[in-house]
Amino acid sequence: MAEILDGKFYACEILKEVEVEVAALKSRGITPGLAVIIVGENPASKVYVNRKHEACEAIGIYSLVIRMPESATEEELLAKITELNNDNKVNGILVQLPLPKHINTEYVLDQICPDKDVDGFHPMNVGELGIGRNRLVPCTPYGCIKMLELAGIEIKGKKAVIIGRSNIVGKPMFNLLLQRDATVTVAHSKTQNLPEVCREADILVAAIGKPKFVTREYVKPGAVVIDVGINRVDGKIVGDVDFDDCKEVAGAITPVPGGVGPLTIVMLLFNTAKAAKIQNKLM
Ligand code: NDP
């Protein structure tokens, strides 16, 4: 029976670290600030934005939520980003995704100042991560890595398999695991013999977007299974891993909810504090 990796516990541990950083910045007269832009009425996005706002306020990060109507034009959104790029009180800018279809998401995200890009999606931050000069790293994969480290799970020399090659999760996860000396395979929808490939993994990361996709036939006995998936099924949140099936085989496993999700929010606070340090030339 697998050890359950409790994301809330590890998120609290990381939060303590961020609180120390925020206090240190405040003692220098710097209050880190995060601006979140939400366009439209997507109910899940609204919940996420509220959670981010509350998390900031709870640890003394200045939080600004900008709500724009579904009908907002790309020009209006870009004008807001320019304003925030020039606002000294704002150290981090996050555009909540998905954006309405009439807006070019990639172009919009590229206009965020790289030093304020707390999502770590700007090509400059992506490039820095690729060459091992990490600046602002995407929150979800970075949170997974921090959890593995805090849980004392060895990464060096291990075989890791990531299912999913998105820019948000799979690819940055690849870089972070490789930097820590894992031997990493990135699988995707065209990968052949996927269960067999996955059964090689000491660390298996599922970032697919398909509910309960990973079953015990994908898991090597004793492997660590990280479930990044968030899927809504019949009003309930389920992961990409069939938790009940895989926990019988895995050595450690994250639940959904209560696994990777809480880490993502806390890493956003971590990145906001880091962005404040970068902008104030403190690192
Ligand atoms: P994407 O849809 O961008 O990527 C999904 C990846 O899964 C793609 O690379 C795709 O392959 C691969 N895939 C799809 N079907 C299969 C298959 N049958 N076999 C193998 N690979 C497959 O998703 P994201 O990376 O953005 O998100 C993944 C999951 O993580 C989602 O459930 C999302 O909600 C969740 N998520 C959770 C976060 C959190 O805070 N916990 C944050 C971000 C995401 P291909 O490239 O070939 O199409």
Side-chain angles (χ1 to χ4, degrees), residues 156-221:
K156 189 175 181 173
K158 299 291 178 192
K159 178 105 185 18
V161 175
I162 304 159
I163 319 175
R165 55 174 162 181
S166 71
N167 293 334
I168 295 174
V169 187
K171 285 181 195 153
M173 194 70 187
F174 163 78
N175 277 310
L176 290 167
L177 286 166
L178 188 65
Q179 283 172 10
R180 286 161 181 77
D181 296 325
T183 303
V184 193
T185 300
V186 182
H188 47 77
S189 67
K190 311 296 183 295
T191 299
Q192 294 186 355
N193 306 322
L194 186 61
E196 199 180 309
V197 171
C198 292
R199 274 200 308 273
E200 295 254 302
D202 302 303
I203 299 170
L204 178 63
V205 181
I208 314 158
K210 297 217 157 112
K212 298 191 180 186
F213 181 92
V214 173
T215 53
R216 67 168 71 198
E217 60 162 340
Y218 290 70
V219 180
K220 175 163 105 174

Side-chain angles (χ1 to χ4, degrees), residues 46-66:
K46 282 183 174 177
V47 171
Y48 292 141
V49 168
N50 286 340
R51 277 195 205 147
K52 288 166 186 173
H53 176 66
E54 284 163 15
C56 282
E57 297 237 301
I59 66 157
I61 289 180
Y62 165 64
S63 167
L64 185 62
V65 178
I66 294 130

